[in-house]
Amino acid sequence: MSEEKSKGISLRKKRSVRPKISAPKQISAPMPTGLAAGTLSSGIGAERLRPSDGSGPRKLDAPRQRPPQGEKTADLVKRRYSTRFTNLPTDFGAGAPPLPTMPGIPGQYASQPPSRDGRPPGSSDGQRVKVDEKALRDPNLRPEQYVATLLSDASEQDIRDYQDKLRKLKNRTSTDLQHNVYQNRTQFIKISKEAEKLKGEMRMLRTLMSELTSTLGQTTSASGLGGDAITARKQANRSSVANLEALWNSHLQTLWKRVEGSQKYLPAIPGRHIIHESGKWVELNAATWKIRRRIHLILLNDHFLVASEKKRADMAGQNPRDVKQKKNQIQTQLVAQRCWPLQDVQLADLSSRSAPGGREREGKGTTDAINIRVGTESYTFAVYGSDVSEKNTLLSTYRKTLEDLRRTMEVETEERGKQQDSVNYFATRDLSILKKADLLESLSENTVNHRSSMFVDVDGKQQSIRWVESQLDDLDIDIALQRFEKAVSRVEKLKSLAKNIKSNAVAQNLLTFKVNERAAKLATVLIRQLVENHSWLTSAKTHVHWVSRLGFEDRARDAYLEARSAVIKTRSRQCIFEGHLPEYIYQISFIYFTIIKNTVHIYQNCFPHVMMSACIKWAKEHIDEFNVILARQLSSVDTESPLWKECMDQAHTHAAMLTDVGLDFKDFIGKGMEDGGVSNRANHGPVGLGVTS
């Protein structure tokens, strides 16, 4: 006990044992007679005051007894929070004024009380239903199930707000998609131009690398050539081009005589000549590496010929020594075995490889063997006598000749592309050109005759047709982005450019066709805008001006008048006849003549005066339509009656509005109706459907 006093008394609860607080004690003092029950606070137990009779109050009801608690903390809390009221004055609360009412909260700070389930008014779950863009992007989304789950407890206002948010999200997504499409198209065009530029730089780099390779090859081959070969090359370089062609032809004819069947593989064409020829080769068996026969390898500038020695029938059965002597006396006759285009031949050095099975040919190495592969065929040849220099000469000459052939073919392809690529590319960009048979026919004829040019004259400067194509691409972008002023100016510029092209008829026809096609597309877009905004003078005047600059003012005129006719038809059908004829005639006549007046006014400000006859004709047609409606409504009214006169006066009053725009159709209003009134029809008898007068 002394230890607890030294430590002091703590009200903190222990972690292991939760303190329990007992109920407050009952107040035993008597209540004053003048104290009203309503003035006591509810927290002190006012609801327990129950008057026993009209003379005085009664004691508070005893609370429920709780089981006694034996903990010290509970007793301390009970002592602290228990209060005893004793000896209150007799006049306590007797003369106190009544409590004032609660003042009202201003409207700007007022908020509606929450509903019974704790949700604010106008909301289904305490907050507005939000649009989950991530959920909408899910490809496996089921719309019906998602909406039913999301809006199951939503109110009508929540559903409307959610619908508005979805509509705004749709519009924003559509705008972003259109912007991305336009941006991607612009970037694609820029990337295409950069790729074309990079292609030219890579072609130049490849040419430089080819020249470097050929120079190194010539240096290698020159180191193995003798003095006689160098002298012969110098003499060939001194000769003229004509003499060189003649020398090549003579060598080719000699080849035809020496090699039987070579003329079938190597016909005479300009520029074909022999590069290298060697008879020190033998063909080996690919499996056993045994010699099969002696061959000659002949390398031309565009072909590779393999010829073998022809067996003579008169030498069969003779002594081999005698046969060898006769071969030395008579020139060996060769037979063409195989001949391939040089670009299809792959020649490989086998010096780094060994014979199959680890064997070597006749006890010698493979440093003098080569392999020739063409497609799926493979052949192995070796130098007879192990002359390695002969193999090196053939390999170096083959590499140099193959590189020269590749460069020559590339130059020819580029030259051919210069004549056809620009115009053909310019022609085939649009598929609509394929429908023009005459234009394609003229294009093919000019291409065959090599009269197509890559350049056109633009303001005194030579520009390529690719530049013209880039201008058309910019025009397409302006049309897509609805930059109408720039697009119309660009069309006018390209039309002027097409007219000034004199030396290139193909380019002129193609450019004229493409510009006219894009001008028609642009005019269609502008006319659509004109129809949508036909009631506004400024907008209509601007669009008509653009269409007139493109040369499609007739289409703009017809579209504008058709749109105004549709307005008259729509407005007149909105008028409902409810039994009062003058009021109905007033509405119809006001609609017709007001719209006709406004149409003529806008037409006069947008179109030239030489086209005014079309507007007058249009107005006359609608006056006739009004007369038909007027005659149908007054068909049962006597022409002498006040009702007839009232209706006709209203029609003439509204028709007088046309004088403000310079038109006078008073005489046409109700024309012919006086002769068809009720009084005249009575004389001629009944007239109706299927009945003649």
Side-chain angles (χ1 to χ4, degrees):
M1 186 65 182
S2 61
E3 183 179 359
E4 291 180 358
K5 291 182 179 180
S6 62
K7 291 183 178 180
I9 300 175
S10 176
L11 295 180
R12 295 183 181 177
K13 63 180 178 179
K14 298 181 181 180
R15 296 186 178 179
S16 58
V17 180
R18 183 176 180 181
K20 297 183 180 180
I21 303 174
S22 60
K25 292 183 177 182
Q26 182 180 0
I27 301 175
S28 59
M31 294 294 295
T33 56
L35 183 62
T39 60
L40 295 178
S41 174
S42 60
I44 308 178
E47 67 275 7
R48 297 176 183 174
L49 294 176
R50 294 285 186 268
S52 57
D53 52 10
S55 59
R58 55 178 289 185
K59 295 184 180 181
L60 297 174
D61 295 336
R64 291 184 301 172
Q65 296 294 330
R66 294 188 179 182
Q69 304 293 334
E71 296 183 2
K72 297 180 179 180
T73 304
D75 294 339
L76 293 174
V77 173
K78 180 178 63 175
R79 295 174 184 176
R80 183 172 183 177
Y81 285 97
S82 299
T83 306
R84 184 187 304 272
F85 296 92
T86 58
N87 299 326
L88 293 176
T90 56
D91 58 347
F92 180 77
L99 295 176
T101 59
M102 181 67 67
I105 302 177
Q108 55 182 350
Y109 303 106
S111 59
Q112 298 181 1
S115 59
R116 294 183 178 179
D117 53 356
R119 299 175 181 175
S123 177
S124 59
D125 55 353
Q127 58 181 356
R128 298 290 182 180
V129 181
K130 297 183 180 179
V131 178
D132 190 359
E133 299 184 7
K134 184 177 181 181
L136 296 179
R137 293 192 187 101
D138 187 6
N140 299 324
L141 177 66
R142 297 180 180 178
E144 295 82 5
Q145 183 177 359
Y146 177 78
V147 172
T149 304
L150 183 63
L151 303 179
S152 59
D153 298 329
S155 63
E156 181 180 0
Q157 184 63 31
D158 287 344
I159 296 176
R160 290 180 180 177
D161 295 343
Y162 187 75
Q163 185 179 6
D164 294 339
K165 292 178 182 179
L166 287 179
R167 189 178 294 108
K168 293 179 181 179
L169 180 61
K170 176 185 175 183
N171 297 335
R172 185 169 64 253
T173 305
S174 177
T175 304
D176 294 343
L177 178 61
Q178 185 179 11
H179 177 71
N180 292 336
V181 169
Y182 297 152
Q183 187 176 7
N184 292 340
R185 174 178 173 82
T186 305
Q187 293 179 356
F188 177 78
I189 293 174
K190 292 181 180 179
I191 293 174
S192 300
K193 294 179 181 179
E194 293 294 334
E196 190 69 22
K197 182 179 179 181
L198 182 60
K199 181 180 178 181
E201 294 177 354
M202 291 299 296
R203 188 183 297 113
M204 182 182 300
L205 179 60
R206 185 171 54 186
T207 302
L208 296 176
M209 292 297 296
S210 301
E211 292 178 358
L212 178 60
T213 304
S214 62
T215 302
L216 295 177
Q218 291 176 2
T219 304
T220 304
S221 61
S223 61
L225 296 177
D228 295 338
I230 297 176
T231 304
R233 177 173 295 179
K234 290 182 179 180
Q235 292 177 357
N237 291 336
R238 295 192 191 101
S239 61
S240 61
V241 177
N243 294 337
L244 188 60
E245 290 286 344
L247 181 61
W248 288 347
N249 290 333
S250 63
H251 289 172
L252 196 59
Q253 292 176 4
T254 303
L255 178 65
W256 293 344
K257 294 178 181 180
R258 291 177 48 244
V259 182
E260 182 180 348
S262 60
Q263 189 173 3
K264 177 181 64 175
Y265 297 110
L266 303 171
I269 61 173
R272 175 170 288 172
H273 58 281
I274 300 174
I275 300 295
H276 180 76
E277 181 179 358
S278 176
K280 300 179 181 181
W281 294 85
V282 292
E283 183 179 0
L284 303 180
N285 190 324
T288 62
W289 281 56
K290 292 183 179 181
I291 299 176
R292 298 179 60 184
R293 56 187 171 181
R294 296 190 61 175
I295 59 171
H296 284 242
L297 300 180
I298 304 172
L299 178 64
L300 290 87
N301 65 321
D302 57 350
H303 279 74
F304 193 90
L305 178 65
V306 178
S308 62
E309 295 182 356
K310 183 178 182 181
K311 296 181 180 180
R312 298 178 62 90
D314 54 353
M315 295 184 181
Q318 296 185 7
N319 190 1
R321 187 175 298 177
D322 297 338
V323 172
K324 185 176 182 180
Q325 293 177 358
K326 289 184 179 181
K327 283 185 178 181
N328 295 332
Q329 296 176 2
I330 303 174
Q331 187 177 7
T332 305
Q333 183 68 24
L334 303 176
V335 180
Q337 296 293 331
R338 302 174 186 86
C339 187
W340 309 287
L342 187 60
Q343 62 269 20
D344 297 340
V345 176
Q346 297 180 2
L347 195 149
D349 187 5
L350 299 181
S351 59
S352 59
R353 305 177 185 178
S354 60
R359 297 171 296 179
E360 294 185 351
R361 179 179 56 85
E362 297 181 356
K364 300 180 181 180
T366 60
T367 58
D368 55 352
I370 62 173
N371 177 262
I372 296 179
R373 181 178 296 275
V374 181
T376 58
E377 301 177 357
S378 179
Y379 304 94
T380 304
F381 303 101
V383 180
Y384 187 77
S386 301
D387 189 358
V388 181
S389 62
E390 183 67 23
K391 185 190 71 170
N392 294 334
T393 302
L394 177 64
L395 291 174
S396 61
T397 307
Y398 162 77
R399 295 190 184 99
K400 179 180 179 300
T401 305
L402 182 63
E403 184 64 25
D404 292 342
L405 176 62
R406 188 192 62 78
R407 290 165 53 188
T408 303
M409 295 178 63
E410 185 177 353
V411 170
E412 292 178 355
T413 304
E414 289 181 358
E415 290 295 333
R416 203 161 39 245
K418 289 180 180 179
Q419 298 174 353
Q420 298 182 3
D421 177 64
S422 60
V423 177
N424 289 345
Y425 172 80
F426 185 66
T428 56
R429 280 286 300 273
D430 293 337
L431 298 179
S432 58
I433 296 182
L434 301 178
K435 301 178 182 179
K436 301 293 182 179
D438 52 348
L439 191 59
L440 290 177
E441 184 178 357
S442 63
L443 175 64
S444 60
E445 291 178 357
N446 283 274
T447 304
V448 171
N449 297 331
H450 303 288
R451 293 199 301 264
S452 59
S453 175
M454 289 184 63
F455 298 96
V456 294
D457 189 6
V458 181
D459 297 333
K461 297 180 181 180
Q462 293 293 326
Q463 298 287 353
S464 64
I465 295 185
R466 294 297 180 93
W467 178 85
V468 179
E469 185 68 20
S470 66
Q471 296 296 314
L472 291 175
D473 291 339
D474 294 339
L475 175 59
D476 291 335
I477 294 175
D478 291 337
I479 295 175
L481 297 179
Q482 296 187 358
R483 296 197 289 252
F484 296 128
E485 182 62 34
K486 292 184 179 180
V488 173
S489 301
R490 202 178 294 274
V491 168
E492 293 176 342
K493 180 180 178 181
L494 291 175
K495 283 185 177 181
S496 176
L497 175 62
K499 291 180 181 179
N500 295 330
I501 297 177
K502 304 298 182 183
S503 59
N504 195 340
V506 178
Q508 183 180 16
N509 295 335
L510 289 175
L511 181 58
T512 302
F513 174 79
K514 290 196 172 189
V515 172
N516 292 337
E517 182 183 14
R518 284 162 174 78
K521 179 181 177 181
L522 178 58
T524 302
V525 177
L526 291 174
I527 290 174
R528 189 185 307 119
Q529 296 282 340
L530 173 63
V531 171
E532 293 177 357
N533 303 281
H534 57 82
S535 300
W536 305 96
L537 175 59
T538 304
S539 178
K541 187 175 182 180
T542 303
H543 287 85
V544 169
H545 176 66
W546 285 335
V547 176
S548 301
R549 289 169 59 184
L550 295 175
F552 296 94
E553 56 272 4
D554 294 339
R555 291 178 54 188
R557 175 196 61 197
D558 297 339
Y560 174 72
L561 294 179
E562 288 178 2
R564 300 300 291 176
S565 299
V567 173
I568 293 178
K569 186 176 181 181
T570 303
R571 295 292 183 267
S572 61
R573 288 187 175 183
Q574 292 176 352
C575 297
I576 301 175
F577 179 66
E578 297 179 350
H580 192 258
L581 186 59
E583 182 180 357
Y584 180 75
I585 296 299
Y586 179 89
Q587 295 175 0
I588 293 295
S589 61
F590 182 80
I591 289 174
Y592 265 85
F593 293 110
T594 302
I595 296 179
I596 291 175
K597 171 191 172 183
N598 295 336
T599 302
V600 175
H601 175 67
I602 296 176
Y603 191 93
Q604 290 175 347
N605 287 273
C606 296
F607 294 92
H609 295 287
V610 294
M611 301 176 64
M612 196 62 194
S613 58
C615 184
I616 301 300
K617 180 181 178 181
W618 175 85
K620 177 62 172 59
E621 292 176 355
H622 286 284
I623 292 296
D624 295 339
E625 292 179 2
F626 173 75
N627 286 334
V628 172
I629 297 175
L630 187 63
R632 183 170 61 248
Q633 297 297 328
L634 299 179
S635 59
S636 59
V637 180
D638 189 6
T639 56
E640 303 297 334
S641 62
L643 182 61
W644 173 283
K645 184 178 180 182
E646 181 181 0
C647 294
M648 294 302 297
D649 291 343
Q650 291 179 356
H652 283 284
T653 302
H654 290 153
M657 292 189 299
L658 299 181
T659 57
D660 297 340
V661 292
L663 300 181
D664 188 5
F665 287 107
K666 294 180 181 179
D667 297 337
F668 292 94
I669 305 302
K671 184 178 181 181
M673 293 178 56
E674 290 78 2
D675 298 335
V678 175
S679 59
N680 293 329
R681 285 196 301 271
N683 298 331
H684 296 285
V687 179
L689 183 62
V691 181
T692 58
S693 58

